[in-house]
Amino acid sequence: MSFTQDLAAATATLRKQIHDMPFNRALADGSLPKDAFQGYIVQDAHYLEGFARALALTAAKAPDPDAVAQLSGSAAGAIAVERQLHAHYMGLFGVSAERFTATEVSAACDHYVAFLLRTAALADFAESVAALLPCFWIYRDVGHEIARISPEGNPFAAWIDTYSGEAFDEAVSRMLALVDRSADASDAATRARMHRAFAKGCWHEWRFWDSAWHQQGWPAPA
């Protein structure tokens, strides 16, 4: 069993819960309320900017030029997707530039980005790539499953095509290979930290979609 296969086994229950979340079930059958998807893509655009910064920070401490190039390229790709969200998805679903600017980053988005940036800045390279992996891997798996069961005419087909496409699939495969190589070069204590970072990243993925479904911002004190 590879290290990433071990990560998958250790988080199988949570990952299945993510696939079965109301947001993703409704996205798959096309019944997701428009306002829920609008809120989601606004927060996803905010998230992708932070995700790109975490990738760039991690690239800066990569152990070899190939890893630097891979992670830097992924950072550039994340920014490209963020711009595409502005140019295409937000226009397609009626999110104006004014609304985007006026919408505060949600607690779930802020918490996830802070976790990635803190890990990328303070942890070692192996732990950092493990923390970044869920955003690649879970999105690919969810995208592929949704594409498999989605009906024709799904209004969210553009989103589904992005995360079930060949280009993203290749990026995820490269990230999985990088995490496996990093784990192979690490000691037991580092691999344990990688497990914890990956599990936390999976939890943040769940929390992000749960927050989008419930359209949560920052809960106010009673």
Side-chain angles (χ1 to χ4, degrees):
M1 180 181 290
S2 69
F3 182 77
T4 52
Q5 288 172 329
D6 193 28
L7 291 178
T11 56
T13 299
L14 177 56
R15 285 157 61 85
K16 184 178 187 308
Q17 288 174 339
I18 290 171
H19 282 254
D20 293 339
M21 294 181 77
F23 187 97
N24 289 329
R25 294 301 91 200
L27 192 66
D29 64 22
S31 66
L32 183 68
K34 182 179 178 179
D35 57 347
F37 190 75
Q38 288 173 327
Y40 163 76
I41 58 174
V42 167
Q43 295 304 321
D44 198 37
H46 285 305
Y47 166 80
L48 285 169
E49 181 181 340
F51 181 62
R53 293 178 187 276
L55 282 162
L57 280 171
T58 303
K61 55 186 175 184
D64 57 74
D66 288 342
V68 173
Q70 178 181 332
L71 293 171
S72 298
S74 292
I79 290 296
V81 170
E82 188 271 336
R83 288 175 176 168
Q84 185 179 34
L85 282 168
H86 280 89
H88 180 68
Y89 294 124
M90 291 189 188
L92 189 64
F93 288 95
V95 179
S96 66
E98 292 76 17
R99 176 178 173 181
F100 174 76
T101 301
T103 302
E104 187 178 23
V105 175
S106 70
C109 180
D110 185 71
H111 192 187
Y112 195 178
V113 169
F115 160 70
L116 292 177
L117 290 173
R118 183 178 66 251
T119 305
L122 301 178
D124 59 24
F125 178 79
E127 186 176 347
S128 298
V129 292
L132 291 162
L133 179 59
C135 184
F136 286 89
W137 201 0
I138 290 176
Y139 261 70
R140 182 186 72 173
D141 288 356
V142 168
H144 275 283
E145 181 179 349
I146 289 176
R148 180 176 57 80
I149 63 177
S150 178
E152 289 188 18
N154 189 320
F156 309 109
W159 183 95
I160 296 166
D161 290 345
T162 296
Y163 293 107
S164 62
E166 183 177 343
F168 188 64
D169 191 64
E170 291 175 356
V172 175
S173 295
R174 290 194 298 271
M175 192 66 177
L176 287 165
L178 178 59
V179 172
D180 276 329
R181 291 197 304 274
S182 299
D184 290 344
S186 299
D187 58 20
T190 301
R191 289 193 293 271
R193 292 195 301 273
M194 293 174 73
H195 263 280
R196 288 193 295 271
F198 179 78
K200 286 181 181 178
C202 290
W203 180 88
H204 280 292
E205 288 290 329
W206 171 85
R207 179 73 180 94
F208 193 94
W209 270 313
D210 184 68
S211 175
W213 176 252
H214 294 290
Q215 300 181 52
Q216 294 173 336
W218 290 83

